[in-house]
Amino acid sequence: MAVTKTAPVENNDTQPAILVENLSKTYGSGSSAVHALKDASMQVLPGEVVGLLGPSGSGKTTLLQCLGAIIDPSGGRITLGGDLLFENGWQYSDRRTLRRDRIGFIFQRPYLIPFMDATENIAFLPMLQGKSNKQAYARAAELLEMLDITERGGARIEQLSGGEQQRVAIARALANRPPIVLADEPTAPLDSHRAMSVMKLLHKMAAKSGTAIIVVTHDENIIPVFKRLYRLRDGVLHEEEGEGRPFDYLNDEQ
Amino acid sequence: MISLAYRDVSNSFGRYLLTGIGLGLLIGVTLTMAGVFRGMVDDGKALLRSAGADIWVVQQNTLGPFAEPSSLPDDIYRGILALEGVSQATNVAYLTLEVSHGSRSVRVMLEGIDADSNRLPLTAGRPVSRSHYELVADERSGFRVGDRIPIHRHEYEVVGLTRGMRSPSGDPMLFLPLKDAQEIQFLKDNDALFRDRRQLQENPRLNPPGNPALLDAVEESLFSNHRVNAVLVQLLPGTNPWQVADEIEKWLRLTAYPRDEMEEILIGQLIAMASKQIGMFLVILTIVSAAIVALTIYSMTQTKLKEIAVLKLIGTRNALISRMILLEAIGLGMIGFLTGKLAVTYWAPLFPKHVVLLPEDTFRALLITLVICVLASIAGIRAALRVPPGSAIGG
């Protein structure tokens, strides 16, 4: 497994959790080529939560799949926690292990494994990593406690409410202490209060664990809470300052 | 490590168990078909065992007495007894008929035996000792010692019971004195006798004026039976049966089958068609079972493709996912096999035909079930491996 260290980012004391430079992705070739990503660059610091916005078809999912080592970028560079992941090809031969150990995922729906209970859903990842059952269950218990759902640990997935399921999904994403979590519209199926509660949790977990979280969203209600945003338009990524409003701003407006 | 297969099955155990039981009933039917075939072979062998003959002598150029009709004069055995190496020669007659048992009728095969050479293994009662109107019945016929069975114009008393004596068709056997069997075979009712006598009397060639002895001789010949179906020959120890059979064929102009050859006729030819038919059923049932397992496993996999995509995305190895599907398929097969074995054990005695379950057939069925399950899981595994992990992301 070849890993190339990159030099720390200039003018920044903290090494970014993820650094994306001039990333591009083209589907097809010749006249039918579709440029889904054009020289996209971004960086997210440890413990930071950034929003990734853009209309349908703007390339959000493509960017997420490139960052998640699911599809191959056409060019550019991805550095994760100082390790070069992609430049003229993946530097890790085993991308499944890379995803398991270094990247967390949260989906639109929780997509928890229905035949495992809440604790097992979380403990399964450390187990895949080779941790002992004892270590894996201890990590699961720790996360359940951080997310205030310790008492629901033994519950079957269908016995959990939507909000509880999303919490378990967040815990699973953090189970292997990844430097980065990719959250694909995690608040899409939730009402505004529950969505805000999830955002609050993501910020809390990012701050506690030092994990960087990229949140893809369309939700107009939660966009104001981001301090920093990236907006994708026709494959081009733009950085924007966010409002950074408090999580209870909706209550004030009402 | 968490066992994915165990967790998945536990989550929907009721549905899984019911599917396994359904499959098991199909496996039970398959095992029963194999058991029926084995039963036919066993019945054929039981008949040969009960006869205890080293050589079967039948009418020339026939496969008698079971595969083809065979008729021999009942004094031919004397010539056979005179051959070197022969220790015993016994006449035997076979016929299949329905007999009354209370309000119902039972299909049986009658075997006329020489009472002196009757060596049947009895489970109750005594052997046939009188020369008329006694018989020994196979237990499966339902008769008991002391029952009286009306056959044509006479009543026969059951004096003993034996076990495992069946015809090649699976009918229970009744053993009675040879003379009685001969009589039953050719006995006519009174009206038929009256008509035949009148026909003879009216025939001037058979009833010429002034010669009544000719008519008497003709009637005697027509209304009595001195034919048997076969002669069972026992040899002295160390005698080559093929050699004696050759001698019988050469000098007595009959056909003689050593025991192995008669077994070949009974099993290889008489039940060959039935065995092919059962073989076809077995093949079809095996294909249907395989299709059901494959479809079940494939459907089970299809219902959790999103979860499989998530598992792959979070780093679960293909081997772990494949193992889950394979183990679930094998588990289904094992439930099916155990159900099938249990079912056939309980329902086999209810079958009118003799059903024989050999351990090697059971073991073979287990192996075939496992192979089918492994093959059937391939479709599910292929479907799972084709799921791109990226399908967990996005709508």
Side-chain angles (χ1 to χ4, degrees):
Chain A
M1 191 153 43
V3 178
T4 309
K5 292 274 182 188
T6 54
V9 178
E10 286 176 29
N11 303 325
N12 196 338
D13 292 339
T14 313
Q15 184 164 254
I18 188 161
L19 176 65
V20 179
E21 296 164 278
N22 305 318
L23 200 70
S24 63
K25 175 66 184 176
T26 304
Y27 293 105
S29 59
S31 58
S32 63
V34 176
H35 302 288
L37 279 179
K38 298 170 192 165
D39 289 332
S41 296
M42 71 187 299
Q43 67 169 17
V44 188
L45 297 174
E48 190 183 15
V49 180
V50 300
L52 178 60
L53 317 176
S56 288
S58 61
K60 297 190 303 294
T61 299
T62 299
L63 177 59
L64 223 54
Q65 290 192 336
C66 287
L67 299 183
I70 295 163
I71 59 171
D72 300 334
S74 306
R77 195 174 148 98
I78 304 171
T79 310
L80 187 67
D83 296 338
L84 182 65
L85 292 192
F86 183 87
E87 185 173 31
N88 299 320
W90 292 99
Q91 305 298 306
Y92 278 72
S93 57
D94 184 358
R95 279 189 279 154
R96 199 174 286 216
T97 304
L98 169 69
R99 285 200 300 267
R100 184 192 70 196
D101 297 346
R102 312 286 304 272
I103 306 166
F105 293 93
I106 301 169
F107 311 102
Q108 283 184 18
R109 291 195 177 84
Y111 289 133
L112 297 169
I113 309 302
F115 46 83
M116 296 181 192
D117 65 27
T119 304
E120 286 169 344
N121 261 281
I122 303 164
F124 186 60
L125 253 95
M127 286 180 191
L128 285 178
Q129 210 178 26
K131 297 276 194 304
S132 69
N133 285 6
K134 194 178 169 187
Q135 289 172 312
Y137 281 114
R139 175 64 178 152
E142 182 189 346
L143 286 163
L144 286 169
E145 193 182 341
M146 283 166 76
L147 291 160
D148 297 326
I149 46 169
T150 301
E151 74 285 355
R152 305 296 282 151
R156 291 157 63 99
I157 298 310
E158 72 261 22
Q159 294 169 332
L160 299 175
S161 67
E164 286 171 334
Q165 287 188 24
Q166 198 58 297
R167 283 173 190 232
V168 175
I170 292 168
R172 179 177 66 183
L174 295 165
N176 276 347
R177 304 177 200 278
I180 180 91
V181 167
L182 306 174
D184 182 27
E185 300 192 47
T187 61
L190 305 177
D191 62 44
S192 57
H193 286 285
R194 283 185 181 157
M196 201 53 78
S197 157
V198 166
M199 285 311 297
K200 199 172 169 181
L201 265 179
L202 288 176
H203 278 80
K204 174 183 158 190
M205 298 306 286
K208 274 193 176 177
S209 61
T211 300
I213 301 178
I214 299 174
V215 181
V216 173
T217 187
H218 285 294
D219 190 339
E220 294 296 332
N221 287 325
I222 66 164
I223 292 170
V225 303
F226 293 109
K227 288 180 181 160
R228 213 154 58 85
L229 295 164
Y230 284 95
R231 196 179 293 274
L232 257 170
R233 279 200 201 94
D234 300 325
V236 180
L237 196 61
H238 303 276
E239 187 180 351
E240 294 175 7
E241 280 295 314
E243 294 178 43
R245 288 203 195 179
F247 295 108
D248 56 356
Y249 85 94
L250 279 176
N251 297 337
D252 297 340
E253 283 182 358
Q254 286 162 1
Chain B
M1 173 54 86
I2 291 168
S3 165
L4 295 179
Y6 174 73
R7 290 294 193 285
D8 189 23
V9 168
S10 307
N11 191 49
S12 51
F13 186 67
R15 194 180 58 164
Y16 186 80
L17 186 67
L18 283 177
T19 310
I21 289 173
L23 177 69
L25 295 177
L26 201 61
I27 292 173
V29 172
T30 311
L31 276 171
T32 307
M33 296 301 278
V36 167
F37 170 68
R38 290 288 185 199
M40 290 171 80
V41 173
D42 196 60
D43 289 344
K45 287 184 175 172
L47 185 66
L48 293 178
R49 270 199 309 272
S50 73
D54 297 313
I55 297 174
W56 291 65
V57 181
V58 298
Q59 184 182 333
Q60 195 175 31
N61 299 327
T62 69
L63 294 170
F66 306 110
E68 278 182 343
S70 161
S71 177
L72 303 171
D74 62 4
D75 59 354
I76 199 95
Y77 76 97
R78 292 198 176 93
I80 297 169
L81 268 176
L83 293 173
E84 197 181 335
V86 174
S87 74
Q88 201 172 10
T90 317
N91 284 326
V92 67
Y94 295 100
L95 65 150
T96 301
L97 76 164
E98 298 267 337
V99 295
S100 300
H101 185 208
S103 57
R104 65 188 178 95
S105 68
V106 183
R107 187 177 170 81
V108 295
M109 178 181 254
L110 295 187
E111 181 177 336
I113 53 169
D114 186 340
D116 295 340
S117 62
N118 180 7
R119 292 195 189 90
L120 288 170
L122 297 180
T123 55
R126 61 171 174 81
V128 171
S129 58
R130 283 160 51 192
S131 53
H132 285 293
Y133 313 130
E134 286 188 344
L135 58 79
V136 169
D138 182 79
E139 285 176 341
R140 212 175 158 84
S141 66
F143 292 114
R144 293 184 180 173
V145 174
D147 282 353
R148 300 187 73 81
I149 308 170
I151 301 175
H152 294 334
R153 280 187 292 170
H154 302 293
E155 266 198 347
Y156 294 80
E157 185 186 351
V158 179
V159 295
L161 293 178
T162 185
R163 184 178 293 164
M165 300 296 175
R166 292 167 301 274
S167 76
S169 316
D171 302 323
M173 294 189 71
L174 303 184
F175 300 89
L176 69 171
L178 181 67
K179 289 288 174 198
D180 287 351
Q182 286 174 311
E183 190 185 329
I184 293 167
Q185 218 166 9
F186 294 97
L187 193 66
K188 293 178 177 176
D189 58 63
N190 288 338
D191 289 340
L193 285 171
F194 176 77
R195 275 193 297 273
D196 288 350
R197 281 212 174 97
R198 201 183 60 189
Q199 234 175 2
L200 291 174
Q201 283 165 4
E202 287 170 359
N203 188 333
R205 290 174 65 196
L206 299 175
N207 189 16
N211 189 4
L214 178 59
L215 183 64
D216 289 346
V218 170
E219 281 185 354
E220 166 64 20
S221 164
L222 280 177
F223 301 137
S224 64
N225 175 26
H226 298 287
R227 312 290 295 180
V228 291
N229 298 121
V231 177
L232 308 182
V233 178
Q234 284 181 317
L235 302 175
L236 293 169
T239 309
N240 183 345
W242 297 93
Q243 212 169 352
V244 177
D246 280 348
E247 293 285 310
I248 293 170
E249 293 194 348
K250 188 174 170 187
W251 297 110
L252 299 174
R253 305 185 69 77
L254 298 167
T255 295
Y257 298 110
R259 188 206 299 253
D260 291 348
E261 210 172 350
M262 184 47 90
E263 191 171 310
E264 170 62 26
I265 290 170
L266 263 177
I267 293 160
Q269 297 194 26
L270 196 61
I271 59 177
M273 189 67 84
S275 71
K276 276 180 194 162
Q277 200 138 327
I278 289 173
M280 281 303 295
F281 270 118
L282 282 176
V283 169
I284 291 168
L285 285 171
T286 306
I287 291 170
V288 170
S289 307
I292 288 176
V293 179
L295 198 66
T296 306
I297 294 298
Y298 186 74
S299 307
M300 282 167 67
T301 310
Q302 286 291 320
T303 57
K304 50 178 181 279
L305 284 184
K306 198 79 182 181
E307 285 80 13
I308 288 171
V310 172
L311 281 171
K312 288 168 92 170
L313 188 69
I314 64 176
T316 311
R317 302 239 158 258
N318 282 341
L320 206 59
I321 295 168
S322 303
R323 203 173 83 169
M324 169 181 77
I325 297 167
L326 181 66
L327 287 178
E328 285 177 9
I330 289 174
L332 201 62
M334 289 307 295
I335 292 174
F337 174 76
L338 291 174
T339 307
K341 178 75 181 84
L342 206 64
V344 77
T345 305
Y346 279 102
W347 73 39
L350 305 177
F351 273 68
K353 281 265 184 188
H354 184 212
V355 179
V356 176
L357 295 168
L358 297 178
E360 55 261 41
D361 284 344
T362 308
F363 182 68
R364 202 172 292 135
L366 174 63
L367 273 185
I368 291 172
T369 305
L370 290 179
V371 169
I372 286 173
C373 289
V374 170
L375 292 177
S377 67
I378 290 173
I381 290 171
R382 276 170 60 90
L385 297 188
R386 274 203 302 267
V387 177
S391 63
I393 290 182

